[in-house]
């Protein structure tokens, strides 16, 4: 049983920074790819960033490139999303996700999900 728990969300002002964390338990954290997705009110959930189990591969959606950094600490079974220069359009519920699919880098398909953490950016 995989459990993913996000934390670190909150209310910030435009231009601020915030770091999200995702703690994993259950199946081993290593060998899996991890990712962040977000869903804004009235919109579909969208891919934000993902990272391989060895951290050698990362991928970002265009709108966050240069502002967000994904990382993971396998010894702590935790993944992070460092967000800087936040914009109002970054407001969403952020979800972490995990997968063992080999195709994750190409199709951004993930199998296990956390409950989400709210990020609100005021302009």
């Amino acid at each position: 049983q995989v459990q993913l728990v996000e934390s670190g969300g909150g209310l910030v002002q435009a231009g601020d920074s915030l770091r999200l964390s995702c703690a994993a338990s259950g199946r081993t954290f290593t060998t899996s790819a991890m990712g962040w997705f977000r869903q804004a009110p009235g919109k579909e959930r969208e891919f934000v960033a993902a990272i391989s189990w060895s951290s050698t591969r990362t991928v970002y959606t265009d709108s966050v490139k240069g502002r967000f950094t994904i990382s993971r600490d396998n010894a702590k079974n935790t993944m992070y999303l460092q967000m800087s220069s936040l914009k109002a359009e970054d407001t969403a519920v952020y979800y972490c996700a995990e997968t063992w699919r080999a195709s994750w880098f190409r199709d951004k398909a993930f199998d296990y999900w956390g409950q989400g953490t709210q990020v609100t950016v005021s302009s």
Side-chain angles (χ1 to χ4, degrees):
Q1 191 81 2
V2 173
Q3 284 191 315
L4 303 172
V5 179
E6 303 94 337
S7 62
L11 172 62
V12 297
Q13 293 188 335
D16 284 352
S17 298
L18 202 61
R19 188 176 81 157
L20 304 182
S21 299
C22 173
S25 62
R27 277 181 72 173
T28 178
F29 188 65
T30 56
T31 76
S32 66
M34 300 288 294
W36 288 99
F37 291 73
R38 65 186 180 186
Q39 187 168 20
K43 295 187 177 181
E44 293 187 354
R45 187 165 58 190
E46 66 170 348
F47 170 79
V48 176
I51 186 169
S52 64
W53 71 270
S54 62
S55 300
T56 54
R57 300 188 86 181
T58 59
V59 59
Y60 298 87
T61 192
D62 287 345
S63 62
V64 307
K65 286 180 180 177
R67 300 190 299 121
F68 291 11
T69 302
I70 190 171
S71 62
R72 64 190 292 169
D73 184 339
N74 290 346
K76 296 181 178 179
N77 286 0
T78 303
M79 176 182 64
Y80 306 96
L81 185 67
Q82 179 67 47
M83 305 184 293
S84 60
S85 302
L86 283 162
K87 305 175 181 179
E89 50 263 43
D90 294 319
T91 294
V93 177
Y94 283 72
Y95 299 90
C96 71
E98 187 170 20
T99 186
W100 281 262
R101 301 186 193 208
S103 61
W104 68 270
F105 191 83
R106 179 181 71 252
D107 60 25
K108 314 302 189 292
F110 284 72
D111 300 300
Y112 300 93
W113 298 86
Q115 293 300 306
T117 185
Q118 177 71 48
V119 173
T120 303
V121 184
S122 63
S123 57

